[in-house]
Amino acid sequence: MGRAPCCDKENVKRGPWSPEEDEKLKAYIETFGTGNNWIALPQKIGLKRCGKSCRLRWLNYLRPNIKHGGFSEEEDNIICSLYISIGSRWSIIAAQLPGRTDNDIKNYWNTKLKKKLLGKRKNYHINSPSASSSQDTKLVDAGEDNTLSNSAMERLQLHMQLQNLQNPYSLFSNPAVWPKMNPLQEKMIQTLQSFNDNSNSLIQPTMIPQPGQAQNVQLFEPIMDQIMQTASFNIPDSYVVPKSDAHQSNYLGVQSVSTFQPELDEFINNNNAVGMSEFDCFKEIDGSKDSILWWPNDQFDTNSASSSSWDSTSTPHHQSDQLYQDFALRYNV
DNA sequence: AAGGCTGCCAACCGCATGTTA
DNA sequence: TTAACATGCGGTTGGCAGCCT
C-alpha cells in the first residue's frame, strides 16, 4: 500500500501559475506568513493548488530577493567547487549563494555549467574489482554500464578538469593530479595502497570525529572520495562493512584511518590546511582561500539563504551534522 | 514555411526526514 | 513508542521558445 497523496489531485490545479494566483499567494504570505501549514494554506486563500505546489512557487519564485539567471563567474566557481566537494546537495550549495534557489542552481548546473566544464569529454571508467590493474582507468563510451554513479563520475571528471589533467590513466601516481598533496594525503593513499597489497590487514577500531568537527569533515570528503573510489575497487568485499552494519558498529570497513589518526587529528584541527588541491578553485573567488574553505557553523548555516531558510525552524547545525552522518555512513566510519 | 530538434526552466513526483499527537 | 502528517529535497518531466534543416 502506497503513501497517501498529499492532496486531492482531482480537485487541484496543476501547471504554470497565473499572475492572479501569484498575487494571492504573495499577498497572503507577506501579510500572515505560512502559519507553518502549507497544506492548509491554499484553502485559506482560495487557491486550487496543492500545498506543496504553493510552497515551491513561493520558495522558487515569489519570495523576496530572488535572483534569476545571470550567474556570475564567482557563482560558477562556488557551484562547481561545492559540487565537486559535496555532490548534488543543491540546498546546501544554494545556502552559499544568497538569492539563489536550489532549483535554479540545479537547472543551471544541468543545462549549462556541467556542459561548460565537462565539455564533450568521454567518460572515464574505473575498473571493476575483477580488473587486473588496480588503479587504471579506461575510456568507455557514454552509456556503458558504469561502476561509479554518474554523480561520482562527474565529480571525478570535474576534479580532473580543474587540475588540467592531461593524462587520465594514472590517478595517484601522476604528480599532476596532486600537485600540492600534503603529507597526510600521501600517507592516506600509501596506507590504502599497502592495504590493497595486504589482504590480511586487520580491521581496527576507527577514529570517530566529534560532532563539533562536522565542517572539518567537509574538507576531508573530497580526498576521501578520491581514495575510497579507487580503493573500493581493490578492497575485498569482506573488508567493507555494509552501511547498515557500519551504522551500528564503531569500526571502519577498511583499516585506513586509524593508522594515521595522529596526523588526521592534526589535519582536521588545522584550519590552515594546505595542499587541498580540490579547493584550489576557491582561491579565485575572492583571493581568500580560507574565507570559503573554512565554514564556521554560523557561516555554513543552511538556514541562511536557501529554500529551506525563509521560515525554517530546524536547528542551525542540523545540516552539518547530517553531513557528518552522511560522511560517516559513506566511509563506513 | 514547416517540421524536427535542442535547450531551458518551472513544476511535479516520490522518497526521506522531521514533527506532533 | 508509534503512526500519521508535514516538510524538505533531489531527480525528473513537460511545455515552450528558438534554432536548424
Side-chain angles (χ1 to χ4, degrees):
Chain A
M1 197 169 110
R3 180 184 173 78
C6 68
C7 54
D8 180 6
K9 288 189 167 65
E10 297 289 314
N11 298 314
V12 158
K13 186 183 171 194
R14 298 166 68 188
W17 281 64
S18 68
E20 292 77 24
E21 288 176 311
D22 281 348
E23 192 48 47
K24 269 188 180 178
L25 182 61
K26 194 175 180 193
Y28 183 89
I29 293 177
E30 283 177 350
T31 308
F32 302 107
T34 65
N36 290 325
N37 190 344
W38 284 107
I39 302 299
L41 193 141
Q43 287 150 7
K44 288 181 189 169
I45 321 174
L47 282 176
K48 290 195 170 183
R49 290 279 182 175
C50 171
K52 285 177 81 168
S53 180
C54 293
R55 174 185 165 271
L56 212 62
R57 184 64 179 170
W58 171 256
L59 293 176
N60 289 339
Y61 197 82
L62 297 176
R63 73 185 159 116
N65 304 320
I66 291 286
K67 285 190 277 185
H68 289 287
F71 282 82
S72 65
E73 277 295 313
E74 181 179 326
E75 287 174 313
D76 286 358
N77 285 336
I78 294 173
I79 295 167
C80 171
S81 305
L82 285 172
Y83 184 86
I84 293 167
S85 170
I86 62 176
S88 58
R89 299 189 199 191
W90 305 116
S91 60
I92 295 174
I93 295 173
Q96 309 308 314
L97 299 171
R100 299 295 185 186
T101 69
D102 50 1
N103 206 40
D104 235 16
I105 293 170
K106 179 172 57 183
N107 284 335
Y108 181 58
W109 172 263
N110 285 329
T111 59
K112 292 177 185 168
L113 202 49
K114 184 165 70 176
K115 291 168 192 167
K116 177 178 163 185
L117 292 166
L118 292 176
K120 295 182 180 295
R121 287 170 63 102
K122 289 208 169 194
N123 292 326
Y124 294 99
H125 179 79
I126 296 179
N127 287 352
S128 66
S130 59
S132 55
S133 176
S134 63
Q135 290 167 0
D136 290 351
T137 58
K138 63 179 180 183
L139 277 169
V140 295
D141 291 330
E144 192 171 315
D145 181 40
N146 285 327
T147 305
L148 290 178
S149 68
N150 289 338
S151 172
M153 283 305 299
E154 278 175 17
R155 290 165 67 188
L156 190 55
Q157 284 182 307
L158 278 168
H159 176 82
M160 292 172 171
Q161 199 88 343
L162 290 169
Q163 293 297 332
N164 297 317
L165 182 65
Q166 299 302 313
N167 176 11
Y169 291 88
S170 173
L171 267 178
F172 295 123
S173 59
N174 185 344
V177 182
W178 307 105
K180 290 181 287 184
M181 189 182 290
N182 68 25
L184 175 60
Q185 287 175 308
E186 287 180 351
K187 192 159 188 177
M188 289 165 69
I189 291 164
Q190 285 166 7
T191 303
L192 280 163
Q193 286 176 334
S194 67
F195 175 77
N196 292 337
D197 296 336
N198 178 13
S199 60
N200 293 322
S201 297
L202 296 174
I203 296 173
Q204 298 176 11
T206 186
M207 182 279 296
I208 307 288
Q210 297 305 304
Q213 295 170 333
Q215 69 274 35
N216 298 331
V217 171
Q218 293 160 25
L219 302 182
F220 204 38
E221 188 174 60
I223 176 66
M224 286 301 289
D225 254 343
Q226 293 280 353
I227 293 167
M228 297 306 285
Q229 283 174 11
T230 300
S232 64
F233 297 106
N234 306 299
I235 296 170
D237 287 346
S238 57
Y239 286 87
V240 179
V241 181
K243 274 189 175 182
S244 55
D245 294 340
H247 192 58
Q248 294 164 7
S249 56
N250 261 3
Y251 59 88
L252 264 180
V254 294
Q255 54 84 266
S256 56
V257 176
S258 59
T259 59
F260 47 74
Q261 180 170 343
E263 293 90 335
L264 180 58
D265 286 341
E266 184 184 341
F267 176 79
I268 63 178
N269 285 308
N270 179 7
N271 292 5
N272 298 316
V274 294
M276 289 296 285
S277 54
E278 211 80 34
F279 291 91
D280 282 353
C281 39
F282 281 137
K283 286 187 293 188
E284 297 171 11
I285 294 168
D286 62 358
S288 169
K289 191 174 185 176
D290 286 349
S291 65
I292 303 293
L293 180 58
W294 180 256
W295 287 298
N297 281 346
D298 60 337
Q299 286 181 25
F300 203 79
D301 177 5
T302 58
N303 293 328
S304 63
S306 77
S307 60
S308 62
S309 69
W310 64 283
D311 70 349
S312 173
T313 55
S314 60
T315 58
H317 303 310
H318 169 76
Q319 287 285 2
S320 54
D321 285 347
Q322 182 60 46
L323 279 175
Y324 166 72
Q325 288 166 17
D326 288 351
F327 174 84
L329 276 175
R330 193 162 175 181
Y331 302 119
N332 297 325
V333 172

